[in-house]
Amino acid sequence: MKKLNIFVLLFAAILFHAQAISGTVLSKEENTPIAYVKVGVEKENVGIISDEKGEFSIDLSKINPSAKVRIDVPGYESYTETVQNFVKQNDRKIYLKEKFKNIQEVKIAPKKLVDKNWGVNTKTKSVMYSVKPELSKDDFLGETALEFKASKRSKIKNIHLNIASITADRPIIMRYTIYNEKNGLPGESILDEEITVELTKDKIIDDAFTLDVNEKNIWVQGKFFVGIQFLKEFEGRLNISAALFRTGYLRKFYGDWKKMTIAAPAINIDVKVDKNGKNEIQEEYDNDSGVSNLFHDVSKYQMEAEQSIYGKNASAGKVFKLKDADLYYETYGEGEPLLLLHGNSGSIRDFYQQIPELAKYFKVIAVDTRAQGKSIDKTQKDFSYKIFANDMKALIDDLGLKKVNVAGWSDGGNTGLEFALKYPENLNKLITIGANSSVDGVDEELISKFTLSLKAMHYENKPEKFNERRLLKLMLNEPNISHKDLNKIQSAVLVIAGEKDVIKPEHSELLSKQIPNATLKIYKDATHMIPFENADELNKDIVEFLRK
């Protein structure tokens, strides 16, 4: 019996390894290898890209035998076979038949055609679609696309991809595909041949990688999608600029396409089109008067913050350990203590323009809130501003401070309000910058976008985005501070907001009226990004308010 068991185990092992299939994809007409072919399983997130010699190896050991293996590349007819039959083949040379190319001449009077650019043009470095193969091979081999809708027949001349940054040890091999539309999602490729390119840093001009496809004779009308996929692993990272709250489309290999409303990659195209032709998708976003006007591009400040010492200064930084969190903070200057609290998903470095100035007058204690910056949260529960306020109380107790001033931006200001209510004996003065006491104080369009984003993140259900989901949920559910509670705050409070803030002007006014000793200041033409864009004025106001 023991020998029989060994035989069974040996047979099972052989069968398992037999599922790891290797082969070569060739052109039927030319009998030559086809490079970078997609080999995967339909409706599954399982797949591999062949190398430049058409060679591949794919593990099918965990796949249902009745599932379909699919092999395709633009310009060739697709190959499909059941996993069961595919595994049985001895000679795994897969021959693909070249598609018939439609070279019918298109006659359009040149005088009626004009040049236009459609798509996402942002070159921001603060919102990005990040490609880093070492993080997740499944995600790396996935595909992302942007939707267009041409009202008139149009010819694509150039495809642009806006690059925020690139660090790669070799040329990045990527493929463009133009898809038709099926049930509101990318359908089949309309290309007669593949468009595979090598992206290198020297080919990026003015933060954009441009590909001339004029001679490929690509004509489109109605809904279509421009997709990008990376074909070969590399060491490093590619960051593509992205537009916040624009709709993009994602899929993992041959998996189903999913609509994502969080952000869309900065893909844009030059087209030749009738002078009355337009991209109707783009017009929908242009006519959406909401969120895009509420946030300016602050990538310049983000880059400066990253390059500063703040948030990573070993000589000024310490870690305060709680039972369920590790709080990272940095201390600068001498004098009356001032606690600086950043906004949602931010960190100490966001105050890179405030810390050096405020440290001339105060003992500045800049803190990374739990699960943000370098601070760690060890729980699985939902966040609340009360929890953050409790953290600040525990920190100042550990530092032996009886009273502190607090300056909080956005979520930091909300935490400041909760701190004022729960620990009034420990608060001297409070400055809130773009804070709110209730969710209805935030622009409705922004709340709507956050709600859609949270749904999309729940649908993705990526473990690495657990904290991001909790932070987004926090903004949708809190704070919930009543007028009666605001009346209880006895400390002097300076309420600051931008004239074009995502916090409604009437809500900032309400805060100043309901808090007995509050003063309101609205910064003219300012947005929610006051610590970045209005740093000098903010620093001056904080110093004057605290030194009264």
Side-chain angles (χ1 to χ4, degrees):
M1 180 61 71
K2 186 175 181 179
K3 290 183 179 179
L4 178 60
N5 286 340
I6 293 173
F7 174 81
V8 171
L9 289 172
L10 180 61
F11 177 80
I14 293 171
L15 183 60
F16 175 87
H17 288 293
Q19 308 299 301
I21 307 301
S22 298
T24 306
V25 184
L26 304 121
S27 166
K28 186 173 183 179
E29 287 76 14
E30 305 292 334
N31 197 31
T32 54
I34 306 174
Y36 308 124
V37 178
K38 290 178 67 172
V39 182
V41 181
E42 288 186 347
K43 302 295 182 180
E44 297 283 349
N45 301 332
V46 176
I48 195 72
I49 303 291
S50 72
D51 63 16
E52 57 272 20
K53 298 178 181 179
E55 296 176 355
F56 68 89
S57 180
I58 183 170
D59 184 359
L60 300 174
S61 59
K62 298 180 182 179
I63 304 301
N64 188 320
S66 62
K68 291 286 187 69
V69 173
R70 179 175 173 180
I71 301 176
D72 66 13
V73 67
Y76 292 84
E77 294 181 2
S78 296
Y79 167 98
T80 58
E81 183 59 272
T82 64
V83 171
Q84 186 175 22
N85 291 337
F86 188 72
V87 169
K88 290 178 181 178
Q89 296 178 23
N90 294 322
D91 181 14
R92 294 194 184 88
K93 289 185 177 179
I94 311 299
Y95 291 93
L96 300 185
K97 185 178 180 181
E98 191 171 353
K99 283 184 179 178
F100 172 74
K101 292 183 179 181
N102 183 4
I103 57 174
Q104 183 179 357
E105 184 179 0
V106 178
K107 293 183 179 180
I108 297 181
K111 64 180 181 180
K112 292 184 179 180
L113 297 183
V114 296
D115 292 319
K116 293 190 178 183
N117 179 267
W118 296 340
V120 175
N121 287 284
T122 179
K123 293 184 178 179
T124 179
K125 292 177 172 60
S126 58
V127 182
M128 298 180 295
Y129 174 83
S130 188
V131 180
K132 192 173 184 181
E134 68 182 51
L135 291 181
S136 173
K137 188 172 181 179
D138 288 344
D139 290 343
F140 169 68
L141 290 178
E143 192 171 4
T144 185
L146 186 69
E147 181 182 11
F148 298 82
K149 187 177 181 182
S151 63
K152 302 281 186 178
R153 199 156 192 262
S154 312
K155 183 181 182 183
I156 302 177
K157 293 176 55 185
N158 298 296
I159 304 175
H160 307 283
L161 187 63
N162 294 352
I163 309 297
S165 64
I166 178 174
T167 54
D169 64 336
R170 67 200 75 175
I172 298 175
I173 311 298
M174 55 180 288
R175 174 182 291 140
Y176 289 101
T177 306
I178 315 296
Y179 294 100
N180 61 18
E181 181 262 345
K182 183 178 180 181
N183 299 326
L185 298 170
E188 298 295 324
S189 171
I190 65 171
L191 297 178
D192 289 330
E193 57 183 301
E194 67 169 338
I195 305 176
T196 300
V197 297
E198 291 188 356
L199 172 60
T200 53
K201 193 170 185 178
D202 62 294
K203 293 179 181 178
I204 300 170
I205 300 172
D206 190 24
D207 296 326
F209 173 66
T210 298
L211 180 67
D212 184 347
V213 294
N214 189 51
E215 293 184 0
K216 294 187 180 295
N217 203 35
I218 305 170
W219 289 87
V220 291
Q221 187 170 5
K223 279 191 179 182
F224 65 96
F225 302 78
V226 178
I228 55 173
Q229 182 180 31
F230 299 90
L231 307 178
K232 199 170 183 179
E233 292 185 42
F234 61 91
E235 290 185 10
R237 181 192 292 265
L238 173 67
N239 289 321
I240 301 168
S241 295
L244 198 63
F245 305 126
R246 283 289 297 264
T247 297
Y249 296 80
L250 295 170
R251 72 165 170 176
K252 292 185 178 181
F253 222 80
Y254 284 132
D256 293 331
W257 285 96
K258 308 294 183 186
K259 182 185 288 189
M260 296 298 169
T261 59
I262 299 173
I267 301 170
N268 59 96
I269 57 176
D270 294 330
V271 296
K272 276 282 189 185
V273 65
D274 181 281
K275 63 181 180 180
N276 297 317
K278 56 189 177 183
N279 174 21
E280 295 176 3
I281 297 294
Q282 190 158 349
E283 289 207 346
E284 289 176 15
Y285 284 101
D286 292 341
N287 292 332
D288 183 358
S289 59
V291 180
S292 60
N293 295 323
L294 298 174
F295 290 99
H296 290 182
D297 182 359
V298 292
S299 57
K300 168 181 176 288
Y301 304 102
Q302 296 274 8
M303 291 178 66
E304 289 176 354
E306 288 179 10
Q307 293 166 5
S308 75
I309 190 65
Y310 304 110
K312 54 188 176 186
N313 188 350
S315 63
K318 289 184 179 179
V319 176
F320 171 53
K321 290 187 175 292
L322 294 162
K323 288 183 179 179
D324 60 358
D326 293 344
L327 298 183
Y328 177 79
Y329 68 97
E330 294 180 358
T331 306
Y332 300 89
E334 297 294 336
E336 195 174 335
L338 169 60
L339 206 60
L340 285 185
L341 305 179
H342 60 77
N344 193 288
S345 300
S347 70
I348 291 168
R349 70 185 185 192
D350 292 344
F351 290 117
Y352 76 101
Q353 296 182 88
Q354 281 69 52
I355 292 172
E357 182 63 23
L358 297 179
K360 295 176 183 177
Y361 308 94
F362 311 102
K363 181 178 182 178
V364 175
I365 306 160
V367 188
D368 280 342
T369 309
R370 65 166 65 204
Q372 297 161 82
K374 293 176 69 175
S375 290
I376 297 170
D377 176 79
K378 301 175 183 178
T379 73
Q380 298 291 306
K381 60 187 177 183
D382 288 345
F383 292 137
S384 74
Y385 296 115
K386 287 184 175 68
I387 290 174
F388 295 166
N390 292 341
D391 288 347
M392 296 309 111
K393 165 64 172 169
L395 175 61
I396 66 171
D397 284 350
D398 184 70
L399 294 174
L401 302 173
K402 292 184 178 180
K403 276 202 170 188
V404 295
N405 298 300
V406 176
W409 177 18
S410 194
D411 270 28
N414 301 349
T415 298
L417 291 171
E418 293 286 7
F419 187 88
L421 285 168
K422 195 165 185 180
Y423 305 107
E425 69 279 4
N426 298 114
L427 178 65
N428 184 20
K429 292 182 179 181
L430 170 65
I431 301 107
T432 66
I433 308 152
N436 58 297
S437 61
S438 60
V439 178
D440 59 12
V442 182
D443 181 88
E444 287 90 352
E445 186 66 21
L446 183 60
I447 291 296
S448 176
K449 295 294 186 181
F450 281 164
T451 301
L452 290 172
S453 297
L454 185 60
K455 286 181 180 178
M457 292 175 73
H458 277 307
Y459 187 85
E460 285 183 290
N461 195 29
K462 291 186 176 180
E464 66 269 23
K465 291 190 176 183
F466 177 62
N467 285 338
E468 192 177 340
R469 290 199 301 272
R470 287 195 288 175
L471 289 168
L472 191 52
K473 186 177 179 181
L474 172 65
M475 291 190 291
L476 290 170
N477 294 333
E478 291 199 13
N480 296 297
I481 303 173
S482 67
H483 293 183
K484 184 178 179 180
D485 283 337
L486 290 174
N487 296 159
K488 296 177 183 176
I489 298 175
Q490 296 302 311
S491 297
V493 179
L494 175 59
V495 178
I496 294 174
E499 188 178 33
K500 300 176 181 177
D501 210 308
V502 296
I503 305 301
K504 298 174 184 176
E506 60 269 25
H507 187 79
S508 297
E509 188 174 344
L510 180 145
L511 285 181
S512 67
K513 288 181 177 178
Q514 295 296 327
I515 299 172
N517 298 311
T519 304
L520 174 65
K521 180 169 184 182
I522 301 296
Y523 284 26
K524 184 174 176 56
D525 293 326
T527 69
H528 193 62
M529 313 308 287
I530 286 172
F532 282 165
E533 299 177 326
N534 306 80
D536 292 341
E537 185 178 3
L538 177 63
N539 294 342
K540 179 175 176 290
D541 287 339
I542 291 175
V543 172
E544 288 183 355
F545 177 70
L546 294 182
R547 298 187 76 190
K548 281 182 183 177

